[in-house]
Amino acid sequence: SLSSVIDAYAVYVAGSSMEPRYFDGEVVYVNPVKKVRRGDFVVAQIRDNERETILAYVKRFVRWNERELVLFQFNPERELIFQSQNVVTVHLAVMGGSV
């Protein structure tokens, strides 16, 4: 489904925060073009001003407005809230699996 998508990419999952959906070491394939909807799994890139870097999160999309991006993780269950001004990208995760 990604063969004709320009700029499609993949990331490795690090950690267990999304188990049992995604596991440590699993590959997640991403469509950066398709629109994200509530409940979708995403890769969000967030600017960390303290560390002067960009961090990537594989999470479930809750909402994104002018103030904040809200994502959900499974393990432990909790919402993560990021200021919209620090959001670099939010892209749709379309499939995952082990390599």
Side-chain angles (χ1 to χ4, degrees), residues 11-48:
V11 297
Y12 283 101
V13 174
S16 60
S17 69
M18 287 306 289
E19 289 181 10
R21 178 61 180 94
Y22 295 112
F23 292 87
D24 186 41
E26 191 170 344
V27 175
V28 174
Y29 298 91
V30 181
N31 184 334
V33 179
K34 198 166 183 183
K35 184 178 172 157
V36 173
R37 299 176 309 198
R38 182 182 174 98
D40 285 343
F41 293 96
V42 299
V43 174
Q45 296 179 31
I46 310 296
R47 185 174 297 101
D48 183 335

Side-chain angles (χ1 to χ4, degrees), residues 14 18 25 28 39 44 50 52 64 72 79-80 83 88:
M18 287 306 289
V28 174
E50 219 172 87
E52 297 182 356
W64 187 12
F72 182 80
E79 285 189 342
L80 302 173
Q83 294 179 348
V88 178

Side-chain angles (χ1 to χ4, degrees), residues 30-81:
V30 181
N31 184 334
V33 179
K34 198 166 183 183
K35 184 178 172 157
V36 173
R37 299 176 309 198
R38 182 182 174 98
D40 285 343
F41 293 96
V42 299
V43 174
Q45 296 179 31
I46 310 296
R47 185 174 297 101
D48 183 335
N49 294 325
E50 219 172 87
R51 298 181 198 165
E52 297 182 356
T53 189
I54 294 175
L55 303 174
Y57 296 85
V58 177
K59 304 293 179 202
R60 192 164 216 175
F61 181 79
V62 177
R63 71 179 171 278
W64 187 12
N65 58 40
E66 63 281 344
R67 290 179 306 129
E68 63 190 15
L69 169 67
V70 181
L71 304 175
F72 182 80
Q73 72 177 31
F74 293 147
N75 188 22
E77 282 192 13
R78 72 180 183 127
E79 285 189 342
L80 302 173
I81 300 172

Side-chain angles (χ1 to χ4, degrees), residues 83-95:
Q83 294 179 348
S84 281
Q85 66 203 37
N86 293 329
V87 177
V88 178
T89 62
V90 178
H91 292 153
L92 182 65
V94 293
M95 63 184 121

